[in-house]
């Protein structure tokens, strides 16, 4: 197209695609219930003509901003260390990667918001009332967090990563935690461990409760009626403290740790106490994060497909934004055992 020609319009695209102007408009405005063949024809015509949608006019039609809030909510963590802790956790990077996989091609941008106080929650809710975001992708595991209920009450299209702590009519994606813990228990038994212990996650969270319950119930089926445990907080420091507590109170040759960061802490403490891994103690983590590969020895762990889970979370929120996914739903992913050098 030469510079003195008028820019292509919807009518030009419709003519090239062989469809109606209304069909082109539906595709351009992100309306999803368009026949896939027609959508493909329109997309080819857009590329061929060089048509560029008017984003301002498009937002007036769709009442969309093209932005979704990716919210990490940690009530009462209003400290300078909170943002750094979020970005340092390899789990969060995997979530972002999965979200971008889906939202990028849809021309929807995730906007990171760290919500760590009542003031931050109020600011988020105010921005939602002003239609600054089309939906919310929420990461929250604190049982005291009022945000899931606030978003539900406000009828904001929202999907959570992990089951909400309190019973709340909100859609979510999660992994089958108990099944993952069962895999860990069966692996330790197959390794010949005679006395196993576990470091749980926070016991006021579904993940902490389910992973502990799944591990204990599987060990009971193998005849171990009592499983020593210490509660951790999903941090490396928490894993160190819990391991010190177990070593002071129990003898064990197998250890299931409810996430990889805590498992790294456990490996450090076992090494400090002269325990060889896996010769003296076999260790299994949970997540299959970057920590599992950087630990020495590399960590046997239970993989949860975080990227796929985050991508599904993004797909679900798009459906709710389009009015196609109003029924509260859950999608549960299957875990898998990944065997490395620690067991």
């Amino acid at each position: 197209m030469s510079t003195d020609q008028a820019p292509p319009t919807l009518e030009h695209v419709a003519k090239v695609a062989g469809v109606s102007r209304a069909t082109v408009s539906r595709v351009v405005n992100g309306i999803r219930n368009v026949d896939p063949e027609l959508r493909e024809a329109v997309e080819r015509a857009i590329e061929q003509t060089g048509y560029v949608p008017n984003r301002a006019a498009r937002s007036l039609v769709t009442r969309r901003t093209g932005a979704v809030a990716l919210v990490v909510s940690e009530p009462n963590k209003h400290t300078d260390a909170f943002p750094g802790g979020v970005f340092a956790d390899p789990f969060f990077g995997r979530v972002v990667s999965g979200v971008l996989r889906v939202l990028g091609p849809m021309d929807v941008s995730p906007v990171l918001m760290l919500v760590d106080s009542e003031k931050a929650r109020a600011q988020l809710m105010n921005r939602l009332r002003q239609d600054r975001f089309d939906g919310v992708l929420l990461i929250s595991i604190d049982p005291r967090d009022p945000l899931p209920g606030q978003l539900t009450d406000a009828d904001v299209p929202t999907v959570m990563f992990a089951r909400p702590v309190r019973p709340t009519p909100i859609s979510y994606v999660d992994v089958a935690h108990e099944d993952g813990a069962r895999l860990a228990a069966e692996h330790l038994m197959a390794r010949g461990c005679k006395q196993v212990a576990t470091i749980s996650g926070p016991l006021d969270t579904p993940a902490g409760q389910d992973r502990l319950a799944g591990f204990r119930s599987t060990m009971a089926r193998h005849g171990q009626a009592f499983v020593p445990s210490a509660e951790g907080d999903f941090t490396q420091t928490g894993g160190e403290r819990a391991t010190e507590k177990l070593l002071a109170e129990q003898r064990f040759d197998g250890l299931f740790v409810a996430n990889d960061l805590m498992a790294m802490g456990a490996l450090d403490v076992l090494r400090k106490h002269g325990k060889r891994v896996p010769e003296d103690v076999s260790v299994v983590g949970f997540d299959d994060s970057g920590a599992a590969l950087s630990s020495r020895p590399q960590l046997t762990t239970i993989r949860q497909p975080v990227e796929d889970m985050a991508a599904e979370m993004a797909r679900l929120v798009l459906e709710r934004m389009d009015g196609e996914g109003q029924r509260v739903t859950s999608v549960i992913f299957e875990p898998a055992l990944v065997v490395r050098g620690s067991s």
Side-chain angles (χ1 to χ4, degrees):
M1 185 178 66
S2 64
T3 55
D4 59 347
Q5 286 181 315
T9 64
L10 287 178
E11 287 77 10
H12 292 135
V13 176
K15 183 176 181 180
V16 171
V19 300
S20 69
R21 184 187 187 281
T23 297
V24 175
S25 177
R26 289 171 67 81
V27 172
V28 169
N29 289 321
I31 298 172
R32 303 179 78 206
N33 56 342
V34 177
D35 180 273
E37 291 186 4
L38 294 181
R39 179 183 296 278
E40 187 176 342
V42 171
E43 290 171 347
R44 284 198 304 267
I46 289 173
E47 183 176 356
Q48 182 177 339
T49 61
Y51 174 74
V52 178
N54 184 320
R55 293 180 66 90
R58 175 173 156 180
S59 67
L60 289 173
V61 172
T62 63
R63 299 187 64 82
R64 293 276 191 85
T65 65
V68 168
L70 175 56
V71 177
V72 181
S73 182
E74 288 277 5
N76 307 314
K77 280 204 175 179
H78 190 55
T79 67
D80 291 340
F82 174 51
V86 170
F87 291 120
D89 191 336
F91 166 85
F92 182 74
R94 296 174 66 192
V95 171
V96 172
S97 175
V99 166
L100 289 173
R101 184 198 308 171
V102 171
L103 295 188
M106 299 301 296
D107 199 24
V108 177
S109 300
V111 178
L112 174 63
M113 295 193 68
L114 305 178
V115 176
D116 58 356
S117 65
E118 184 176 349
K119 179 181 178 182
R121 280 194 301 276
Q123 290 173 338
L124 171 64
M125 298 306 297
N126 186 50
R127 294 177 76 174
L128 289 166
R129 282 190 291 271
Q130 295 173 357
D131 293 327
R132 300 280 293 278
F133 300 114
D134 300 320
V136 173
L137 302 170
L138 177 62
I139 302 172
S140 170
I141 63 170
D142 193 309
R144 300 161 296 179
D145 191 358
L147 190 55
Q150 290 175 343
L151 292 168
T152 300
D153 292 343
D155 200 28
V156 176
T158 303
V159 181
M160 286 188 67
F161 193 103
R163 185 172 88 240
V165 177
R166 299 174 181 174
T168 306
I170 193 168
S171 294
Y172 66 88
V173 301
D174 210 342
V175 70
H177 299 283
E178 291 196 28
D179 290 346
R182 173 182 56 79
L183 292 173
E186 291 178 345
H187 175 69
L188 289 173
M189 295 304 294
R191 283 278 304 163
C193 296
K194 302 300 182 185
Q195 179 63 51
V196 302
T198 183
I199 298 173
S200 75
L203 294 179
D204 56 2
T205 67
Q209 295 165 4
D210 291 354
R211 293 176 193 182
L212 179 61
F215 189 74
R216 280 181 163 163
S217 65
T218 304
M219 293 309 303
R221 290 190 179 95
H222 285 278
Q224 186 169 325
F226 172 65
V227 176
S229 67
E231 185 177 0
D233 61 2
F234 287 146
T235 69
Q236 184 167 341
T237 301
E240 292 170 357
R241 286 195 296 262
T243 307
E244 292 281 7
K245 181 176 185 296
L246 285 172
L247 287 171
E249 299 174 355
Q250 306 290 338
R251 294 174 61 90
F252 54 89
D253 58 0
L255 181 63
F256 169 52
V257 189
N259 83 331
D260 292 347
L261 281 178
M262 290 195 300
M264 286 190 71
L267 290 174
D268 287 344
V269 171
L270 289 170
R271 204 162 28 241
K272 185 180 75 173
H273 283 265
K275 302 290 187 181
R276 298 170 301 161
V277 177
E279 292 85 356
D280 299 324
V281 181
S282 292
V283 179
V284 179
F286 200 115
D287 283 339
D288 195 25
S289 65
L293 292 173
S294 62
S295 67
R296 292 294 177 267
Q298 289 191 339
L299 186 66
T300 294
T301 188
I302 304 301
R303 175 173 174 77
Q304 59 170 332
V306 172
E307 293 85 353
D308 293 341
M309 294 164 67
E312 182 64 21
M313 181 171 63
R315 279 189 284 270
L316 289 174
V317 86
L318 288 175
E319 289 180 0
R320 296 191 71 79
M321 286 157 49
D322 287 343
E324 298 175 9
Q326 297 309 308
R327 183 177 66 86
V328 173
T329 188
S330 57
V331 179
I332 308 300
F333 288 76
E334 294 301 318
L337 173 69
V338 181
V339 179
R340 297 193 179 97
S342 68
S343 69

PDB file of all heavy atoms in Angstrom, residues 9 33 42-43 85 88 157 181 264 276-277 285 288 315:
ATOM      1  N   THR A   9      -9.860  -0.479   5.622  1.00  0.00           N
ATOM      2  CA  THR A   9     -10.978  -0.434   6.557  1.00  0.00           C
ATOM      3  C   THR A   9     -11.538  -1.835   6.774  1.00  0.00           C
ATOM      4  O   THR A   9     -11.118  -2.811   6.130  1.00  0.00           O
ATOM      5  CB  THR A   9     -12.093   0.466   6.012  1.00  0.00           C
ATOM      6  OG1 THR A   9     -12.594  -0.132   4.787  1.00  0.00           O
ATOM      7  CG2 THR A   9     -11.569   1.868   5.696  1.00  0.00           C
ATOM      8  N   ASN A  33     -17.006 -16.612  19.804  1.00  0.00           N
ATOM      9  CA  ASN A  33     -17.865 -17.618  19.177  1.00  0.00           C
ATOM     10  C   ASN A  33     -18.058 -17.323  17.683  1.00  0.00           C
ATOM     11  O   ASN A  33     -19.166 -17.119  17.197  1.00  0.00           O
ATOM     12  CB  ASN A  33     -19.215 -17.718  19.890  1.00  0.00           C
ATOM     13  CG  ASN A  33     -19.949 -16.394  19.949  1.00  0.00           C
ATOM     14  OD1 ASN A  33     -19.345 -15.344  19.770  1.00  0.00           O
ATOM     15  ND2 ASN A  33     -21.241 -16.447  20.192  1.00  0.00           N
ATOM     16  N   VAL A  42     -10.542 -14.264   8.057  1.00  0.00           N
ATOM     17  CA  VAL A  42     -10.446 -12.851   8.419  1.00  0.00           C
ATOM     18  C   VAL A  42      -9.024 -12.498   8.842  1.00  0.00           C
ATOM     19  O   VAL A  42      -8.486 -11.451   8.448  1.00  0.00           O
ATOM     20  CB  VAL A  42     -11.448 -12.522   9.551  1.00  0.00           C
ATOM     21  CG1 VAL A  42     -11.198 -11.106  10.092  1.00  0.00           C
ATOM     22  CG2 VAL A  42     -12.880 -12.639   9.043  1.00  0.00           C
ATOM     23  N   GLU A  43      -8.397 -13.365   9.624  1.00  0.00           N
ATOM     24  CA  GLU A  43      -7.038 -13.090  10.080  1.00  0.00           C
ATOM     25  C   GLU A  43      -6.060 -13.020   8.908  1.00  0.00           C
ATOM     26  O   GLU A  43      -5.142 -12.191   8.889  1.00  0.00           O
ATOM     27  CB  GLU A  43      -6.611 -14.142  11.104  1.00  0.00           C
ATOM     28  CG  GLU A  43      -7.354 -14.006  12.433  1.00  0.00           C
ATOM     29  CD  GLU A  43      -7.088 -15.169  13.382  1.00  0.00           C
ATOM     30  OE1 GLU A  43      -6.531 -16.196  12.928  1.00  0.00           O
ATOM     31  OE2 GLU A  43      -7.447 -15.057  14.567  1.00  0.00           O
ATOM     32  N   GLY A  85      10.627 -11.066  47.231  1.00  0.00           N
ATOM     33  CA  GLY A  85      10.344 -12.474  47.496  1.00  0.00           C
ATOM     34  C   GLY A  85       9.503 -13.097  46.410  1.00  0.00           C
ATOM     35  O   GLY A  85       9.727 -14.255  46.016  1.00  0.00           O
ATOM     36  N   ALA A  88      11.671 -13.563  43.264  1.00  0.00           N
ATOM     37  CA  ALA A  88      12.747 -14.533  43.458  1.00  0.00           C
ATOM     38  C   ALA A  88      12.241 -15.964  43.419  1.00  0.00           C
ATOM     39  O   ALA A  88      13.028 -16.889  43.214  1.00  0.00           O
ATOM     40  CB  ALA A  88      13.455 -14.269  44.786  1.00  0.00           C
ATOM     41  N   PRO A 157     -14.870 -11.073  36.641  1.00  0.00           N
ATOM     42  CA  PRO A 157     -14.358 -12.327  36.067  1.00  0.00           C
ATOM     43  C   PRO A 157     -13.008 -12.680  36.690  1.00  0.00           C
ATOM     44  O   PRO A 157     -12.020 -11.984  36.485  1.00  0.00           O
ATOM     45  CB  PRO A 157     -14.218 -12.000  34.575  1.00  0.00           C
ATOM     46  CG  PRO A 157     -15.163 -10.869  34.335  1.00  0.00           C
ATOM     47  CD  PRO A 157     -15.136 -10.059  35.601  1.00  0.00           C
ATOM     48  N   ALA A 181       1.399 -36.596  46.716  1.00  0.00           N
ATOM     49  CA  ALA A 181       1.992 -37.096  47.952  1.00  0.00           C
ATOM     50  C   ALA A 181       2.017 -38.618  47.961  1.00  0.00           C
ATOM     51  O   ALA A 181       2.960 -39.230  48.487  1.00  0.00           O
ATOM     52  CB  ALA A 181       1.215 -36.563  49.148  1.00  0.00           C
ATOM     53  N   MET A 264      15.231 -27.700  49.523  1.00  0.00           N
ATOM     54  CA  MET A 264      16.603 -27.174  49.443  1.00  0.00           C
ATOM     55  C   MET A 264      17.135 -26.862  50.840  1.00  0.00           C
ATOM     56  O   MET A 264      18.294 -27.154  51.170  1.00  0.00           O
ATOM     57  CB  MET A 264      16.635 -25.923  48.565  1.00  0.00           C
ATOM     58  CG  MET A 264      16.496 -26.198  47.085  1.00  0.00           C
ATOM     59  SD  MET A 264      16.823 -24.725  46.084  1.00  0.00           S
ATOM     60  CE  MET A 264      18.597 -24.535  46.297  1.00  0.00           C
ATOM     61  N   ARG A 276      24.285 -38.170  54.519  1.00  0.00           N
ATOM     62  CA  ARG A 276      24.465 -38.262  53.068  1.00  0.00           C
ATOM     63  C   ARG A 276      23.117 -38.472  52.386  1.00  0.00           C
ATOM     64  O   ARG A 276      22.286 -39.242  52.864  1.00  0.00           O
ATOM     65  CB  ARG A 276      25.403 -39.419  52.732  1.00  0.00           C
ATOM     66  CG  ARG A 276      26.815 -39.291  53.287  1.00  0.00           C
ATOM     67  CD  ARG A 276      27.576 -40.586  53.110  1.00  0.00           C
ATOM     68  NE  ARG A 276      26.883 -41.687  53.792  1.00  0.00           N
ATOM     69  CZ  ARG A 276      27.083 -42.977  53.533  1.00  0.00           C
ATOM     70  NH1 ARG A 276      27.945 -43.349  52.602  1.00  0.00           N
ATOM     71  NH2 ARG A 276      26.415 -43.900  54.209  1.00  0.00           N
ATOM     72  N   VAL A 277      22.908 -37.775  51.287  1.00  0.00           N
ATOM     73  CA  VAL A 277      21.683 -37.901  50.481  1.00  0.00           C
ATOM     74  C   VAL A 277      22.080 -38.432  49.114  1.00  0.00           C
ATOM     75  O   VAL A 277      22.919 -37.829  48.437  1.00  0.00           O
ATOM     76  CB  VAL A 277      20.973 -36.529  50.343  1.00  0.00           C
ATOM     77  CG1 VAL A 277      19.748 -36.653  49.443  1.00  0.00           C
ATOM     78  CG2 VAL A 277      20.585 -35.980  51.709  1.00  0.00           C
ATOM     79  N   GLY A 285      10.897 -33.827  46.976  1.00  0.00           N
ATOM     80  CA  GLY A 285      10.219 -32.539  47.082  1.00  0.00           C
ATOM     81  C   GLY A 285       8.896 -32.543  46.344  1.00  0.00           C
ATOM     82  O   GLY A 285       8.348 -33.590  45.994  1.00  0.00           O
ATOM     83  N   ASP A 288       8.745 -29.508  41.171  1.00  0.00           N
ATOM     84  CA  ASP A 288       9.656 -29.582  40.033  1.00  0.00           C
ATOM     85  C   ASP A 288       9.963 -28.182  39.526  1.00  0.00           C
ATOM     86  O   ASP A 288       9.820 -27.869  38.343  1.00  0.00           O
ATOM     87  CB  ASP A 288       9.099 -30.463  38.903  1.00  0.00           C
ATOM     88  CG  ASP A 288      10.194 -30.839  37.898  1.00  0.00           C
ATOM     89  OD1 ASP A 288      11.382 -30.840  38.290  1.00  0.00           O
ATOM     90  OD2 ASP A 288       9.875 -31.114  36.736  1.00  0.00           O
ATOM     91  N   ARG A 315      -7.130 -19.113  30.075  1.00  0.00           N
ATOM     92  CA  ARG A 315      -8.230 -19.461  29.174  1.00  0.00           C
ATOM     93  C   ARG A 315      -9.582 -19.318  29.870  1.00  0.00           C
ATOM     94  O   ARG A 315     -10.552 -18.820  29.287  1.00  0.00           O
ATOM     95  CB  ARG A 315      -8.054 -20.884  28.648  1.00  0.00           C
ATOM     96  CG  ARG A 315      -7.083 -21.005  27.486  1.00  0.00           C
ATOM     97  CD  ARG A 315      -7.109 -22.389  26.862  1.00  0.00           C
ATOM     98  NE  ARG A 315      -6.416 -23.364  27.684  1.00  0.00           N
ATOM     99  CZ  ARG A 315      -5.124 -23.644  27.578  1.00  0.00           C
ATOM    100  NH1 ARG A 315      -4.381 -23.010  26.681  1.00  0.00           N
ATOM    101  NH2 ARG A 315      -4.556 -24.547  28.354  1.00  0.00           N
TER     102      ARG A 315
END
